[in-house]
Amino acid sequence: MLMKLKILMSKLKILIELFITFSKIGAVTFGGGYAMLMILLREIVQNKHWATEQELTDYYAIAQCTPGVIAVNVATFVGRKTAGNLGGIIATLAVVFPSVVIISLLAGVIKAYASLEWVKNAFAGVRVCVCVLIFNAVIKLFNKAIIDKKTLIIYLLVLAGAMTLNISPVVFVILAGIAGIILSVKKS
């Protein structure tokens, strides 16, 4: 009986830790899933060791292909890996919790003051900051993803396609996955 209680307390502790961690991430992330990558790398990979950088990169790629918000999907993947289905649910709820509270409080205020010049300027400053956060995340991912000439070729082809074609990112992810498989088979 005591052993079961210890196991239950251990599971409860990790669920609380998931909720607190993803609530903090959700509270300080502006700009969506891409902007949160650096925070996720620090908290999930470096501090908590709930995932590796490679796993986090994979979660981002899968999150691009699945319905929903990237940040929510990644939280679900990490939570499920860490504490099963309940962990996935807790992490998902936790990452959106701060946004729901903040948006509920600000919805009326923003409508009333959105036309003020200082409010417009504040939002312009936040957008610039989010661009920098996204750029930093892209550089970090690029350094981990481009590991040889084959991955560089896939990168360049996807980049050219994304800049010239108007097709879903899902298509690029699927084609890049197929190219990775084909190139690894040819290598063997």
Side-chain angles (χ1 to χ4, degrees), residues 41-132:
L41 281 169
R42 185 183 67 241
E43 289 298 317
I44 305 308
V45 175
Q46 296 169 1
N47 293 348
K48 303 291 183 183
H49 307 288
W50 288 336
T52 65
E53 283 189 30
Q54 182 62 49
E55 287 171 324
L56 191 59
T57 302
D58 292 344
Y59 295 156
Y60 258 75
I62 295 167
Q64 282 283 320
C65 302
T66 54
V69 180
I70 294 171
V72 173
N73 293 347
V74 171
T76 305
F77 292 138
V78 172
R80 187 171 189 287
K81 177 186 183 263
T82 305
N85 289 336
L86 185 57
I89 292 168
I90 296 292
T92 301
L93 293 174
V95 80
V96 298
F97 177 73
S99 296
V100 170
V101 171
I102 292 167
I103 290 170
S104 297
L105 295 173
L106 292 179
V109 176
I110 289 175
K111 185 175 181 181
Y113 298 103
S115 61
L116 296 176
E117 198 61 34
W118 70 269
V119 173
K120 291 178 185 176
N121 292 336
F123 282 122
V126 169
R127 283 192 300 271
V128 170
C129 177
V130 168
C131 288
V132 171

Side-chain angles (χ1 to χ4, degrees), residues 148 150 181-188:
D148 56 18
K150 292 175 184 174
I181 292 169
I182 291 169
L183 291 174
S184 70
V185 168
K186 284 186 174 184
K187 182 176 157 182
S188 302

